[in-house]
């Protein structure tokens, strides 16, 4: 690549703007050939009063040849051209660097000093420290407390298993060994999602050059037909609940069974009287607000006759503590299947 140290060249199709370069243009000039058999550029110059000519197909080659001739003809003059292998952006950086240095150091001396103080951005930090910073980060992201807890627990399990490692030491084998303890596809995918959040945080802060978890794909889940409770089992559930737990548990279970409210959503609705605000028997709808709903999307559930009957019969404060629910399940003649109440 050729660079002019004193003035830029102009394309031959452009008008001349500086009279000071007229003599230079007369001495070495590029002409565009657009007529006749030849299409390209002719370079014309004079040496000792004798005219010389050369032909190049592309303008870039013609300009490079012109600069080469200029260096020979005008070497040592203020118009001399010098060769450089720097790109345009590198040349701009170099010129800016010389301006900053102001002659106090050469570019080479400045580069040598900078390399002594430079640290590899992927050198990493202690994994325990990365975990602490990760907690600060997710606590400021407006996540639900239970979501923060899941991210925290999975990240801490990984840190404990990888004790003594720096972030830059994390390899595929470390991550794969950690993930092998989760066999069920649902559990595996959930832990993978949580760990990926932690490792992406490390990578985004340049403490790790890439996330090795990207090489481990989620497990495929076969969505089987959900197991349902029979009317007899539902009747037994309400009977045991009535005998072992406060009356508010009847309406709580009815919302799970007849409104398909998710267990996590019910727990959130039961806090600070939220459920009473969202339940309206007059309009016949239960509103799940976005701050409670899975996916943070507001939705409305129609109150069916069976549900309305329970809510009317048991108008007490609706709630069911985990202690009472475990006690109820221990006395049932059947096991409630996964998500069985909603289904």
């Amino acid at each position: 690549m050729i660079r002019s140290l004193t003035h830029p060249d102009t394309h031959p199709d452009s008008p001349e703007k500086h009279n000071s370069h007229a003599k230079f243009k007369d001495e070495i000039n590029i002409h565009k050939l657009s007529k006749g058999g030849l299409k390209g550029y002719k370079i014309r110059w004079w040496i000792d009063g004798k005219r010389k000519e050369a032909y190049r197909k592309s303008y870039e080659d013609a300009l490079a040849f012109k600069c080469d001739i200029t260096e020979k003809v005008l070497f040592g003059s203020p118009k001399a051209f010098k060769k450089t292998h720097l790109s345009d952006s590198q040349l701009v950086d170099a010129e800016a660097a010389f301006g900053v240095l102001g002659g106090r150091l050469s570019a080479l001396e400045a580069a040598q000093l900078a390399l002594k103080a430079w640290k590899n951005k992927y050198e990493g930090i202690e994994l325990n420290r990365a975990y602490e910073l990760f907690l600060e980060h997710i606590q400021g992201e407006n996540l639900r407390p239970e979501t923060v807890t899941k991210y925290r627990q999975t990240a801490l399990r990984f840190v404990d298993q990888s004790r003594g490692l720096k972030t830059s030491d994390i390899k595929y084998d470390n991550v794969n060994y950690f993930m092998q303890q989760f066999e069920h596809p649902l559990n595996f995918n959930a832990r993978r999602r949580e760990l990926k959040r932690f490792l992406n945080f490390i990578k985004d802060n340049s403490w790790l050059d890439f996330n090795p978890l990207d090489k481990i794909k989620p497990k495929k889940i076969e969505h089987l037909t959900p197991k349902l409770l029979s009317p007899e089992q539902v009747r037994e559930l309400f009977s045991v609940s009535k005998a072992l737990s406060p009356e508010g548990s009847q309406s709580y279970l009815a919302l799970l069974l007849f409104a398909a409210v998710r267990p996590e959503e019910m727990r959130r609705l039961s806090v600070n009287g939220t459920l009473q605000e969202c339940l309206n028997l007059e309009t016949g709808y239960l509103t799940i607000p976005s701050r409670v709903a899975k996916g943070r999307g507001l939705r409305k559930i129609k109150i069916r006759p069976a549900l309305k009957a329970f809510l009317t019969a048991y108008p007490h404060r609706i709630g069911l503590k985990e202690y009472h629910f475990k006690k109820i399940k221990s006395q049932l003649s059947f096991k409630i299947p996964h998500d069985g109440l909603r289904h």
Side-chain angles (χ1 to χ4, degrees):
M1 189 174 289
I2 311 283
R3 293 286 184 268
S4 169
L5 301 185
T6 57
H7 61 283
D9 194 10
T10 57
H11 193 280
D13 295 336
S14 302
E16 295 296 333
K17 296 183 179 180
H18 303 287
N19 293 330
S20 60
H21 298 325
K23 184 171 183 283
F24 172 74
K25 291 294 181 184
D26 288 339
E27 291 171 340
I28 305 175
N29 212 342
I30 297 177
H31 300 280
K32 185 176 182 181
L33 303 176
S34 57
K35 296 180 180 180
L38 289 176
K39 290 186 178 180
Y41 299 90
K42 181 185 290 184
I43 308 98
R44 180 178 293 167
W45 71 100
W46 286 262
I47 296 180
D48 298 330
K50 296 180 180 180
R51 190 175 73 179
K52 307 286 184 179
E53 288 183 349
Y55 169 79
R56 295 291 185 272
K57 285 187 177 181
S58 71
Y59 176 71
E60 289 76 14
D61 290 342
L63 179 61
F65 185 79
K66 174 183 174 179
C67 292
D68 187 55
I69 295 299
T70 303
E71 187 174 6
K72 294 176 181 177
V73 174
L74 301 177
F75 185 77
S77 77
K79 297 177 182 177
F81 282 74
K82 302 297 180 184
K83 295 180 180 179
T84 176
H85 295 290
L86 297 178
S87 66
D88 290 337
S89 60
Q90 289 172 333
L91 188 63
V92 171
D93 286 345
E95 290 174 345
F98 279 114
V100 172
L101 291 171
R104 288 169 288 186
L105 292 172
S106 70
L108 177 60
E109 291 170 333
Q112 290 171 335
L113 285 174
L115 285 174
K116 287 182 180 179
W118 180 78
K119 282 190 175 183
N120 188 335
K121 67 176 181 178
Y122 296 130
E123 185 176 347
I125 61 174
E126 296 296 330
L127 199 52
N128 284 328
R129 179 56 181 160
Y131 169 73
E132 295 171 359
L133 295 172
F134 175 66
L135 287 188
E136 293 178 8
H137 173 71
I138 60 176
Q139 286 169 354
E141 284 204 319
N142 195 30
L143 299 173
R144 291 190 176 116
E146 57 266 31
T147 303
V148 172
T149 299
K150 290 177 182 177
Y151 285 134
R152 176 179 58 79
Q153 289 174 342
T154 300
L156 183 58
R157 288 175 70 172
F158 180 75
V159 170
D160 288 342
Q161 182 175 297
S162 309
R163 193 175 301 278
L165 290 182
K166 296 180 71 173
T167 56
S168 53
D169 297 329
I170 300 173
K171 306 299 180 187
Y172 169 81
D173 291 342
N174 307 116
V175 175
N176 187 47
Y177 179 73
F178 176 79
M179 293 303 303
Q180 284 178 354
Q181 62 186 303
F182 310 112
E183 297 182 2
H184 194 282
L186 286 173
N187 191 27
F188 179 92
N189 292 346
R191 303 295 84 76
R192 179 187 177 278
R193 183 170 59 251
E194 292 153 8
L195 180 61
K196 188 172 182 178
R197 183 83 174 246
F198 178 44
L199 295 182
N200 276 342
F201 170 78
I202 294 175
K203 179 177 72 70
D204 291 344
N205 281 279
S206 298
W207 301 323
L208 181 66
D209 56 352
F210 73 98
N211 187 346
L213 191 59
D214 291 339
K215 296 182 178 180
I216 301 176
K217 303 302 179 184
K219 290 186 177 181
K220 293 184 178 180
I221 300 173
E222 294 184 7
H223 295 281
L224 304 175
T225 302
K227 296 181 179 180
L228 308 178
L229 296 182
S230 67
E232 291 74 23
Q233 289 173 327
V234 173
R235 187 179 296 112
E236 180 184 342
L237 175 62
F238 279 116
S239 177
V240 173
S241 171
K242 187 174 181 179
L244 298 179
S245 61
E247 290 187 331
S249 63
Q250 299 294 88
S251 294
Y252 189 98
L253 291 172
L255 285 165
L256 292 173
L257 286 160
F258 304 128
V261 181
R262 294 180 174 87
E264 284 296 327
E265 292 175 338
M266 278 301 300
R267 276 191 276 273
R268 296 175 196 141
L269 284 170
S270 302
V271 176
N272 301 327
T274 303
L275 184 55
Q276 279 66 31
E277 298 174 3
C278 301
L279 190 61
N280 193 325
L281 293 181
E282 293 182 7
T283 61
Y285 281 96
L286 168 66
T287 302
I288 309 294
S290 57
R291 69 178 185 277
V292 170
K294 180 180 179 180
R296 302 204 177 214
L298 180 145
R299 76 178 190 277
K300 289 181 176 291
I301 301 173
K302 186 172 179 59
I303 299 174
R304 304 291 178 179
L307 175 58
K308 186 174 182 179
F310 272 94
L311 296 175
T312 304
Y314 298 96
H316 314 82
R317 183 179 178 85
I318 302 172
L320 178 60
K321 293 183 178 180
E322 188 64 26
Y323 164 77
H324 288 120
F325 195 30
K326 288 182 179 179
K327 194 173 181 180
I328 292 169
K329 289 190 287 187
S330 69
Q331 298 300 313
L332 295 174
S333 63
F334 62 92
K335 182 179 180 181
I336 299 176
H338 174 71
D339 240 1
L341 298 183
R342 284 185 61 226
H343 295 149

